[in-house]
Amino acid sequence: MGRYFARRLLQSVVLFWMVTVVTFVIIRQAPGGPAILANPTLTKDQIVHLSGAGGLNDPLYRQYASWVGHLLTGDLGVSFNEGVPVVELIDERLPNTLLLSAVAFVIAVAVGMTLGILGAVNRDTWVDGLVSSIGVLNLSVPVFWLGIVLILVFAVELRWLPVGGMSQTSQWNLLDLVRHLLLPAIVAAGFMMANVMRFTRSSLLDARDQLYVTAARAMGLRERKVLLRYTLRNAMLPVVTTIGLGIPQLFGGAAITETVFAWPGIGSLGITAARTGDFPVIMGITLYVSGVVIIANLLTDLSYILLDPRVRLR
Amino acid sequence: MRKFLAAAILAAASHIAGQACAQGGTVTISIPAMPSGYAIVESAGLSDILATNVIAEGLTRWKKDALEVEPALATSWTPNNDATVWTFKLREGVTWHDGTPFTADDVKFTLDLIANKDVRAAAASQVAGLKSVEVSGPHEVRLLFARPFAGLPQMLAYRMPILPKHALEGEDPNQPSGYIRKPIGTGPFLFSQAVSGQSWSVARNPNWWGGKVGLDGVVFRVTPDANSTVAQLKTGETDVALIQPHQIAVLRGDTINIASVDQPSVYYVSLLNNKAPFDEIAVRRALNYAVDKADIMKAVVGGYASLATGIIAPSVEGYSPDVAIYKYDPEKAKAMLAAAGWQRVDGKFSKGGKPLHVELTTSTGVIGGPQLAQIIQQEFNDIGVEATINMVDFRELWVGLFAGRFQASVEYLSLQPSPDVTNALACGGSQNRFAYCDKKVDALLAEASATIDPAQRRAKYAEMQRLVADDAPGIFLYYPKEIGAINARVSNFPGNPIRMATTHLFDVTVKK
């Protein structure tokens, strides 16, 4: 277990390093260079004179070395767009993304599993059909479209909820926050919820025909107890994998959700940075997001041990 | 917790201020990106300009409803005989938001910063030729230029906010992080709070030299998505936003006023005048006749524009209405090419075996750019001129334009509201995207810049515009209108394009 953990950790660090190299090289090869110099208001002389400023003309390996050097001291540079340190920007925005993702995660797992169980228990009835339709709809509808439709219905027509942003007043207010959080969280949860639902349903149906379930029934246990204590626990393994793999998706998908709902998280920050060539911000966000993905994968693998004692890790 | 407390105190304070005043209220303006309040390097473009305008002031400023200048931090200005030396008398008794007095040193500091080669100042081209700034008294500065510069007062009104020397000294002028966290100015509103990615707010400056400010404050709300912006207009979550022509219909029937105003910008096809085939004036003129500008204007911006004759827009002082437009006439275009020695083989024009080929470069960063390129490509094909489209990233477009990398580009220019277009049209001009060079035009631009009498100046600029149109350095398409959606509860909103309008928000009132 200890050796396995050490090896996985080492792999993760190498992977993490490779992600930073690839991102660094790709964004610097983009045509046009950083947006600070592609401003139509600047003159030819300014562009020529300033293109070497900040080491932007140095060889790539030297730029990368300098970036890593600063990173080791906790300095991610200053945003070209906003003129403030990237670390401060991410500190301000990351909690918003974590809040949105956490609420979306809870909705996805809770609603997804409930619907999945409902579907499996009422197999081939109208309940099952309805549940499956919800799943397929959520898997196939693009996030930005669903977002706009919900805005039209609940914000513009019914006026129950606000269109976007995170707060209406400068004071912090729980009700206000919840009202702003509801629509984006539902949209962000959609895809993962559908996956959780489908895996829960099919894996429950698989487990129902296993011998130990028949044995439990033969011992006269009530169906409810059979389901919750035996079937469900064993059916959880593939569901946990889906949830684990879904976390990075949740994080990535939040970028579009955040843009549509003007939610001030690091997803919308990243989209703006990518569009405008704000190199320091792109690199900073890559660090965070790849970190989350790698850690989520690691935790998923480790959670197998807890769920299934037969899984041996070497 | 500290942040929360500060916000709570602030809210309470503005609440008390609101009760004390009969007017009050807050206007919310949608912007596409988080601003910095430091428009000198203009990283966030429009958002930076709008936000900076409410807290900072220039030496001169635009009138409320016209693109003419009036005094701001300078009370009067006088040029010498050939307009190479300008003396500005500064307003006395003005203080920065932190209480420090405003002096001539601040003006010198700001102009030196803008002219500094190591600063990415967006307005650098507007003070081209600035030799030095002399402080000739605590409230007087003299600007010395290497060339006559009669159009200086207009240039100073556009994105040249005077900055506080004491607050910026020692910071990196390209990214002054400390100042951006707490920007100050002399303007009618005080910076109050920035919530990253969400909003940038200001509150009334009770000590403003200009007198009483009607609003309690202004909130700039970051809304990156255009559809969400329209939804926010409909629900009243935002009061003011710029929209596109196709969005007007959606807002009809709501309590929203639509204001369309002329803006000093122009959409056109720039042609590289120093390389074949566009070194031939006949080819440039023929292509002008091949394009149906009126039709394009209707198709792409729904008619919210006016036909262009050159790069100076009608709303700018000095625009000449007496310049002829190349009227759509494909037959004439073909005849002109034939007369210039181009032969038509299988319906395609060529000379010496080389076909006449136009590659139209554009980007999605140019509003309507791809659509314009497609229509123009079709119209060129119709007269027998081969055309292809080259789509690039907007960053590549701007950098490539200056490098002379693109033969023909569908793009736009958003100029300072002044007829002094030396940078854009003079031989070797710092923003000349046409590689255009004409000695007579150069001479007229220089003479006009040395002429202080407004009527004589106007005549020289008119002659210049006529010459340029005749030379056809590019295919000028239209001057777009800026369309603003303004909630009906807002009154007295300035009638200028929004990047000038936000200097006058102190006059605005709202119904609560």
Side-chain angles (χ1 to χ4, degrees), chain A residues 31 33 38 40-44 46 49 80-83 88-89 92-93 159 162-164 166-168 260 264, chain B residues 7 34 43 117-118 120-121 124-125 159 177 181 196-198 221 228 234-235 237 395-396 398 402 430-431:
Chain A
T41 56
L42 295 185
T43 66
K44 214 186 299 179
Q46 281 178 299
H49 182 77
F80 291 160
N81 284 348
E82 298 194 29
E88 286 179 32
L89 269 186
E92 275 177 48
R93 302 264 201 126
R159 306 266 164 129
V163 173
M166 202 174 155
S167 61
Q168 209 61 46
V260 172
Chain B
M34 189 67 192
S43 313
K117 271 185 154 280
D118 292 315
R120 297 195 308 268
S125 65
R159 47 179 197 198
S177 312
R181 281 290 185 214
S196 180
Q198 188 166 212
R221 203 181 156 117
S228 309
K234 283 178 89 78
T235 61
E237 281 169 64
R395 291 180 269 159
E396 197 181 354
W398 303 132
F402 287 123
S430 60
Q431 293 191 305

Side-chain angles (χ1 to χ4, degrees), chain A residues 96 99-101 103-104 107 147 150-151 154-155 160-188 257-258 260-264, chain B residues 198-199 221-223 232 235-238:
Chain A
N96 301 341
L99 175 67
L100 177 62
S101 304
V103 174
I107 294 178
L150 291 185
I151 287 176
F154 292 100
W160 290 351
L161 296 166
V163 173
M166 202 174 155
S167 61
Q168 209 61 46
T169 54
S170 51
Q171 280 158 291
W172 191 84
N173 173 320
L174 183 65
L175 182 69
D176 189 46
L177 180 67
V178 170
R179 279 164 46 82
H180 283 85
L181 188 55
L182 214 55
L183 288 182
I186 289 171
V187 171
T257 314
E258 284 178 6
V260 172
F261 288 95
W263 185 264
Chain B
Q198 188 166 212
S199 63
R221 203 181 156 117
V222 182
T223 320
Q232 291 192 346
T235 61
E237 281 169 64
T238 190

Side-chain angles (χ1 to χ4, degrees), chain B residues 177-249:
Chain B
S177 312
Y179 176 79
I180 284 169
R181 281 290 185 214
K182 213 179 176 328
I184 57 170
T186 57
F189 294 94
L190 310 159
F191 168 76
S192 64
Q193 195 190 18
V195 184
S196 180
Q198 188 166 212
S199 63
W200 198 90
S201 324
V202 295
R204 169 196 296 132
N205 176 5
N207 304 316
W208 187 48
W209 59 265
K212 219 169 73 81
V213 178
L215 294 169
D216 289 335
V218 180
V219 176
F220 291 96
R221 203 181 156 117
V222 182
T223 320
D225 186 79
N227 294 319
S228 309
T229 306
V230 169
Q232 291 192 346
L233 280 165
K234 283 178 89 78
T235 61
E237 281 169 64
T238 190
D239 296 313
V240 181
L242 292 187
I243 57 169
Q244 294 302 316
H246 69 269
Q247 294 171 318
I248 294 176

Side-chain angles (χ1 to χ4, degrees), chain A residues 100-114:
Chain A
L100 177 62
S101 304
V103 174
F105 179 84
V106 172
I107 294 178
V109 173
V111 177
M113 282 182 59
T114 312

